[in-house]
């Protein structure tokens, strides 16, 4: 950590600061410039909040050099993490497609979609029981009943299921869920993250709409710090000035996340674009950029979908897409088995 | 609501759509353009999710005309709402300053700060017991113990208190809290909003970092839809490309929120800027733009603050600021009594 | 175009508006809703500026339905445009790689790089003679001398050249340049665009840092409206809140631009990321998403590059990349001949 | 400047770097941390482009400590600059209002508006002759004829005029213009800035839509580096995700620009909001935050305005606003004489 002091800081103040850092086992080396004095802090600075230093009257700027995340950091864990969901592996060359409707609506729907996506080669099934909706007047999901329908579909199809949790208190309902999803709006719901850190189940963590890569990794770190290292990162588009798409898929996030972290990274092309016909080009781009999987909305009747129908594929469209996905995954050196 | 159909949509498909809308008591008027066919939907369209329509193959675009919020909407509630907190009124010409430390640290601190800010004219006291922190390794607040210290300071100073809730399950601990704050990161924690809609206590709702004005009002609507109409909106800066400030204070949000809604609007200049010396100019700008109050961080020893010291004022600085605030509030036609 | 009138607009005002639109050969159809009155404007509304209507006291909202661009619009020109540069075709299945240094520095450099990139399979050579730099104290390019070195390298290597123009008055110097580039900062330098509309030479138009897709296409329209239809669009990253990359490559822009326009779309992965090792994954993503070409920075000595060395590849790295590019272009069904 | 080297950089490479910096009269001090080696560069680093260093294989990060602007920098010029336009002073306590139509349309219009705004207390008159428009099919301004009408209105009213230049080649037409405006889209049209640096006339420089504070000051530096120190900075709103306003007025930019630079700062509330009724609250906020002036659109018939009518005030509205502006300017300690 580098601390840049204000011009004209009295010697006595600098000495005081050095002594207090010394108590935290941080050694300080000074650089006396023409205009500024700079302190280099040597040691484990992860316990220091840069804001604490910034608040001091003598401090002009503070620059962190080491990343603040440890368990999610590739530096301390160079090998790729593989998350295993009932035998389906994600990461380190293993590619998985998670597919299913935006929200669980009925037994018929879940049975139809789960068989269809399985037949097309999806490894996991998704479906929303608890739905975060901007409007309190919009359909909020079938909630507990939706979870039950999902579990029935799991039994029928044999596919592991992924579904979103919206509140830590709902956790007991998720006992038989295979992967728990944390939505973009809850990426910094820290109480929820802490709760999920204490369980032994894969967590699919979606990036927040306006979260930086480092904040995203810090949220993964919250889960991992609690002891749960089975975290799958999911890029799903960020909020920008552009209005032609619902969100802007940050394709660069894939190589950066994989450089900084060992965790698997998947992409949600359905939410990123918000438009059905863009799911294919964005899926191809995600595979090409190094993603470890995709999560795609499929609905047996998108025109009647209770939410987000505009971005859902029909099972037929999904089947066509999967042919291209399988071929591209192989071309780029990963496997879907 | 306006629905623009794709070029060449067959007549039979249009008729089908009109019939299904008719069942929802929505009348449809057609405009046949040269290139496009447009449908005007007449009636209460708040029950219709534009996404449902957008998902239909024949639909090119959907434009909402009416705002989707009702209880928060000034159109249906033209008079300004006044939120009364133990006799301190906020809104409709009543201006309040909420002051106190970022986080509750000790009894001594809370007693010292509460007496100081009261003496300077603050109407309410703030202090964080549960602290949302980007890093799991940073100080997370004194939590339950912090709430107890806050309540002691309330008893000692006689000032009502404002403090943040981070999880619905903590609600029983907030029985004696006067105003419950929902932080920016939880603005779309819908389960929490629903829980707070069922209680009879003022809620200070902070705008999310990347939330639009309409999403902000929809989150207020979540609370109000549950029956709790005591919502105070708080603009605290949005995330943009600019790095000179921690966030970009959206000063325009004040007149727009007051135009669209009857709820009181306060501003948090401390978090918006993240820099101590900017609290004054941003406070003045907020008052000038029509804000109903300010929430300001004050710490008796900002250099030792456990979080966000860089943006906290000393009690002396706060006292000076309050002289200017009082004078500006009067100049712009509001009162602080 | 849809015009939504304010509640309570008097009949006489509406009639007046209808009459004035009638004079412009625009027919109006009214929809009288419960709360609002909506006018549908039928006819060629491209001559109407929505702002003109918005300024009227009786108007609440104006929504354009037709895109405001015509010559760049795929609706009126369904076939893909192919831009031919000295026999190198770009668009409609023809993929080209443009490579070379950020700025032209010396004869030796240009000769070395041009031979290297040609040998690796680049179709065109790039090099900056006029350099837009944030600081007036930074190297501004060799300017006229740089252009001369570029032309020498063209003669030596036989490769067509692409270089940036920064002011309309420099145009006479560009007589022997094959493709004129308009940089991101000049995307809305309308006087420059008009000048380039009058010449018969391909223009490589880069998207502005904060320009929407529609603004980008309107800038292409400026050039095309003048008579020059040889426009190549270039996505090079947009400005967002994220700081991990220099810009955020908007990968979705590729399919959207190709849907809305018939013009070829290329991608600049070097500037989008600003980091050398990210050029490969972003190049692969661009090809996968449907791009018609790439423009890549290559420097024979990136460590000594006078500008943007951090994002330049060595000729060896470029050669390796080109192997992968060629293979991916073929896989995704385009050709590089 | 701080240079952070990559882990494991060999000693010989570090020595080489130190020697090459030494040739530029830059002394280097090393900090050897546990994980990283950091170099502190001591001396005048303004000639060094951080990108040059970043491109070196041994360099992990580069952090600038000193601001890269000098002539615009308050550190080297502590007193406020006052720009004098025909006796109207702007800066250092002198507040000016610039008013007039978005675009010059006719002699009658200019005469009417100029007399009106003068009577209401505006110090300078604005009007666009060359208009930057997103669409090539929109009205582009009366251009040379517009300039002539402006100059006639100047003669008639005795008010100095402010008008926008769009291309360096038009400069001869601006001989009798008092203040030349550079629009947001041309803020980084560096060739234009250089040309304006060589003349002796005040320049009103508008901030680009997506330009940082530092980029804004670097563009001012371009003009000043040429010898023209009469630069007036203008904040006019930045582009963000919010759609409720045309742009987001960055109110914090005012105190930051005034902290970092000695140049006067004015605000354009008309373009920032794009909505007529918001001009007043944003004007008040700008004054409260420390602005040195305002530039406001006034049209004698906003409903017939050829551009941007939606944000133009009538002369009557402007007169009412000016009463409030005068009072607020006095309240906040500046003068309008």
């Amino acid at each position: 950590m580098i601390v840049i002091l204000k011009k004209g800081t009295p010697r006595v103040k600098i000495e005081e600061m050095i002594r207090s850092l010394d108590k935290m086992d941080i050694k300080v080396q000074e650089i006396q410039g023409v205009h500024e004095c700079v302190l280099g802090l040597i040691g484990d600075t992860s316990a220091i909040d840069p804001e604490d230093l910034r608040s001091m009257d003598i401090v002009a700027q503070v620059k962190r050099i080491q990343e603040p995340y440890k368990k999610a950091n590739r530096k301390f864990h160079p090998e790729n993490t593989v998350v295993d969901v009932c035998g389906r592996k994600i990461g380190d060359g293993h590619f998985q497609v998670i597919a299913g409707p935006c929200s669980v609506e009925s037994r018929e729907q879940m049975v139809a979609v789960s068989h269809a996506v399985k037949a097309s080669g999806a490894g996991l099934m998704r479906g929303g029981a608890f739905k975060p909706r901007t409007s309190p007047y919009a359909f909020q999901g079938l909630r507990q009943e939706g979870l039950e329908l999902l579990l029935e579909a799991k039994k029928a199809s044999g596919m592991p299921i992924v579904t979103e949790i919206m509140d830590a208190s709902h956790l007991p309902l998720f006992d038989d869920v295979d992967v728990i999803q944390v939505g973009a709006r809850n990426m910094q719901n820290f109480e929820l993250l802490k709760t999920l850190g204490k369980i032994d189940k894969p967590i699919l963590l979606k990036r927040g709409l306006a979260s930086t890569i480092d904040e995203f990794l810090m949220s993964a770190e919250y889960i991992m710090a609690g002891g749960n290292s089975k975290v799958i990162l999911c890029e799903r588009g960020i909020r920008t000035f552009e209005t032609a798409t619902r969100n802007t898929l940050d394709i660069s996030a894939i190589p950066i996340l994989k450089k900084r972290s060992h965790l698997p990274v998947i992409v949600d092309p359905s939410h990123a674009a918000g438009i059905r016909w863009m799911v294919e080009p964005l899926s191809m781009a995600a595979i090409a950029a190094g993603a470890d999987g995709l999560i795609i909305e499929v609905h047996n009747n998108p025109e009647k979908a209770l939410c987000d129908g505009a971005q859902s594929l029909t099972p037929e469209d999904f089947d066509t897409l999967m042919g291209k996905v399988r071929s591209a995954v192989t071309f780029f050196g990963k496997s879907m088995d």
Side-chain angles (χ1 to χ4, degrees), chain A residues 201-257:
Chain A
K201 211 185 259 300
I203 307 298
L204 193 161
L205 179 65
K206 289 197 154 189
R207 181 178 180 188
L209 263 77
S211 298
T212 62
I213 295 290
D214 277 356
E215 288 170 344
F216 190 16
L217 288 173
M218 287 310 284
S219 285
E221 188 81 12
Y222 255 97
I223 298 168
M224 298 174 88
N228 183 356
S229 59
K230 299 174 182 165
V231 178
I232 302 162
L233 303 171
C234 179
E235 160 64 32
R236 43 79 73 211
I238 57 173
R239 187 160 272 186
T240 69
F241 63 86
E242 180 58 68
T243 54
T245 37
R246 192 189 293 183
N247 301 289
T248 297
L249 180 66
D250 183 5
I251 196 83
S252 313
I254 304 167
I256 290 184
L257 286 169

Side-chain angles (χ1 to χ4, degrees), chain A residues 52-176:
Chain A
D52 289 2
L53 293 172
R54 234 165 250 144
S55 71
M56 301 180 76
D57 264 348
I58 62 171
V59 172
Q61 291 182 58
V62 179
K63 308 269 180 198
R64 207 182 246 298
I65 296 172
Q66 292 167 44
E67 295 93 351
Y69 40 91
K70 296 177 171 183
K71 297 191 183 251
N73 198 330
R74 191 178 279 277
K75 277 195 192 154
F76 307 120
H77 187 303
E79 313 77 35
N80 289 319
T81 282
V82 178
V83 174
D84 187 309
V85 185
C86 316
R88 277 78 168 171
K89 289 178 178 161
I90 307 179
D92 198 36
H94 302 278
F95 191 96
Q96 290 294 341
V97 177
I98 305 168
C102 172
S103 59
V104 177
E105 290 160 25
S106 68
R107 181 169 295 111
E108 293 65 36
Q109 172 217 30
M110 288 313 299
V111 170
V113 176
S114 64
H115 281 100
V117 299
K118 188 181 184 185
S120 299
L124 297 95
M125 177 175 49
R126 56 151 291 158
F130 292 89
K131 298 299 307 170
R133 304 300 302 270
T134 305
S135 165
Y137 308 122
F139 174 61
Q140 307 276 318
L142 290 180
R143 301 172 71 89
Q144 185 157 0
E145 189 197 335
L147 277 182
E148 285 157 17
L149 293 177
L150 259 179
L151 293 171
E152 282 186 42
K154 173 187 173 177
K155 211 175 280 177
S157 68
M159 293 177 87
I161 57 171
V162 182
T163 195
E164 179 167 352
I165 194 167
M166 284 178 64
D167 195 90
S169 68
H170 300 159
L171 190 56
L173 300 171
F174 286 68
D175 269 356
D176 297 323

